[in-house]
Amino acid sequence: MEEIRLSHQNPSNIDEWELTWDKLMIKGEELGSGAFGQVLQGKLIESEKTKTGKLIEEKEDVAIKILQRYTNEISERNFLNEIQAMKLINGHKNIVKMIGCITVGDRICLVLEFCPYRDLLQYSKTKQTELLTFLETAEHIKKEFLIFAWQISNGMQYLASEGIIHRDLAARNILINEFKIAKISDFGLSVQINDKHKNSPTNNILQIETGKLPVKWLAIESLKNYEFSLQSDIWAFGIVFFEMYSFGETPFAEIENSQLLKHLEDGNRLEKPELCPNEM
């Protein structure tokens, strides 16, 4: 396995995805944040002249993921990795759509489609509130969650067909658009398998030691031997089920990260949330 890489300082990497800051307008509302920086709501400004010479501006709602100026090397590498990964997989209905990027200069950003319902983790928590206040029925929520599960699996199947291992599949990284379609996002830790490297062990010890991998979502082989595969993504998919049907509970919340491997090797697993159908 090898990581997808992009050097933002190399002019040869400039392509049709490259935007300029004058094409973006930041509205200021924060949609999310992390070690990389912030995700802000904004607009993409596109200008077009009519036949009469009149200039028309169209503004599209977007999410602007901005790398903070003084980030560490690992966060910057993961951010650039995400940009390149998005270029390779853009276009599937259950993968968040990339609009463009800025990789030249000291302010690097990734521009994505705007998903007004935010992420699945927060969405699931709101559903619990609606259930408790009788604004929503359990049966309707179960049906909606089942549709999300199918959509996520559809997106993961596409990634598998492209030889891409996500490695950070979690409810926080599933976005819900205006049509309530689930879209997989956040490809900073993704790796791609090819014939030359598919049998080679991955080398991500540094990222694990610095807390860059989501421990509670990792499969046993990932925790034990740093091995990642399509199967380890399936494990994480199961954790997403738990998050969704438990209305956003943290998986293995009572277990310390350092004790999780032993906990799993002893045969312990997450309990099925009450809302989750038995068939799943």
Side-chain angles (χ1 to χ4, degrees), residues 138-200:
E139 286 305 313
H140 186 272
I141 293 173
K142 283 196 286 187
K143 181 179 179 181
E144 187 173 48
F145 283 175
L146 183 61
I147 293 172
F148 286 157
W150 181 85
Q151 292 170 344
I152 297 166
S153 67
N154 194 30
M156 293 306 295
Q157 184 177 19
Y158 168 73
L159 293 178
S161 71
E162 295 294 316
I164 293 175
I165 303 169
H166 191 283
R167 294 203 304 163
D168 196 13
L169 188 66
R172 64 182 175 274
N173 292 331
I174 307 295
L175 302 181
I176 310 297
N177 76 356
E178 67 269 33
F179 303 110
K180 294 192 176 181
I181 296 174
K183 292 174 174 277
I184 300 167
S185 70
D186 211 320
F187 290 86
L189 298 179
S190 62
V191 293
Q192 187 173 33
I193 302 172
N194 57 38
D195 291 337
K196 181 179 178 181
H197 296 93
K198 66 181 180 181
N199 294 318
S200 301

Side-chain angles (χ1 to χ4, degrees), residues 4-256:
I4 306 161
R5 285 286 173 251
L6 172 70
S7 171
H8 70 284
Q9 299 296 338
N10 188 347
S12 65
N13 287 313
I14 305 304
D15 54 25
E16 69 275 10
W17 292 102
E18 196 72 20
L19 299 171
T20 53
W21 280 105
D22 63 314
K23 297 291 185 182
L24 297 174
M25 181 174 67
I26 296 176
K27 296 178 68 174
E29 182 179 355
E30 184 175 276
L31 303 176
S33 62
F36 61 86
Q38 294 176 295
V39 181
L40 300 173
Q41 186 176 350
K43 287 186 178 290
L44 174 66
I45 304 171
E46 295 183 299
S47 301
E48 183 179 352
K49 277 190 176 182
T50 65
K51 292 181 180 180
T52 60
K54 183 179 179 181
L55 188 65
I56 298 177
E57 282 192 352
E58 293 185 358
K59 297 179 181 179
E60 176 185 357
D61 286 324
V62 293
I64 305 171
K65 190 172 185 177
I66 304 173
L67 182 69
Q68 61 185 0
R69 293 178 186 272
Y70 304 106
T71 189
N72 60 58
E73 183 180 346
I74 293 174
S75 293
E76 180 177 351
R77 187 169 68 240
N78 289 342
F79 193 85
L80 295 170
N81 185 59
E82 179 174 13
I83 291 175
Q84 186 66 1
M86 292 297 298
K87 291 179 181 181
L88 295 176
I89 59 178
N90 205 49
H92 190 276
K93 62 182 178 181
N94 296 121
I95 305 294
V96 69
K97 180 182 176 183
M98 176 179 174
I99 306 296
C101 61
I102 297 177
T103 61
V104 177
D106 61 352
R107 293 193 74 195
I108 304 170
C109 78
L110 172 61
V111 183
L112 303 167
E113 65 174 304
F114 175 62
C115 294
Y117 287 105
R118 309 293 177 89
D119 61 76
L120 181 59
L121 180 62
Q122 297 303 317
Y123 187 85
S124 300
K125 291 178 179 180
T126 64
K127 287 299 169 180
Q128 183 178 38
T129 302
E130 291 177 5
L131 182 63
L132 293 174
T133 54
F134 304 103
L135 294 175
E136 192 69 274
T137 66
E139 286 305 313
H140 186 272
I141 293 173
K142 283 196 286 187
K143 181 179 179 181
E144 187 173 48
F145 283 175
L146 183 61
I147 293 172
F148 286 157
W150 181 85
Q151 292 170 344
I152 297 166
S153 67
N154 194 30
M156 293 306 295
Q157 184 177 19
Y158 168 73
L159 293 178
S161 71
E162 295 294 316
I164 293 175
I165 303 169
H166 191 283
R167 294 203 304 163
D168 196 13
L169 188 66
R172 64 182 175 274
N173 292 331
I174 307 295
L175 302 181
I176 310 297
N177 76 356
E178 67 269 33
F179 303 110
K180 294 192 176 181
I181 296 174
K183 292 174 174 277
I184 300 167
S185 70
D186 211 320
F187 290 86
L189 298 179
S190 62
V191 293
Q192 187 173 33
I193 302 172
N194 57 38
D195 291 337
K196 181 179 178 181
H197 296 93
K198 66 181 180 181
N199 294 318
S200 301
T202 186
N203 181 17
N204 291 286
I205 299 175
L206 177 62
Q207 291 182 339
I208 293 173
E209 289 179 346
T210 54
K212 294 299 178 182
L213 286 175
V215 173
K216 297 294 179 69
W217 285 258
L218 295 182
I220 293 175
E221 65 271 20
S222 304
L223 289 166
K224 191 173 184 178
N225 300 317
Y226 317 123
E227 293 177 356
F228 297 89
S229 64
L230 303 178
Q231 286 71 30
S232 60
D233 268 356
I234 293 173
W235 175 283
F237 182 45
I239 305 294
V240 172
F241 268 52
F242 171 82
E243 292 182 276
M244 182 169 60
Y245 281 102
S246 67
F247 299 114
E249 287 187 16
T250 301
F252 304 109
E254 304 301 319
I255 308 299
E256 295 291 334

Side-chain angles (χ1 to χ4, degrees), residues 252 255 259-270:
F252 304 109
I255 308 299
Q259 297 299 313
L260 182 59
L261 177 58
K262 183 180 185 305
H263 182 74
L264 294 174
E265 288 187 323
D266 287 344
N268 297 294
R269 298 293 185 268
L270 291 167

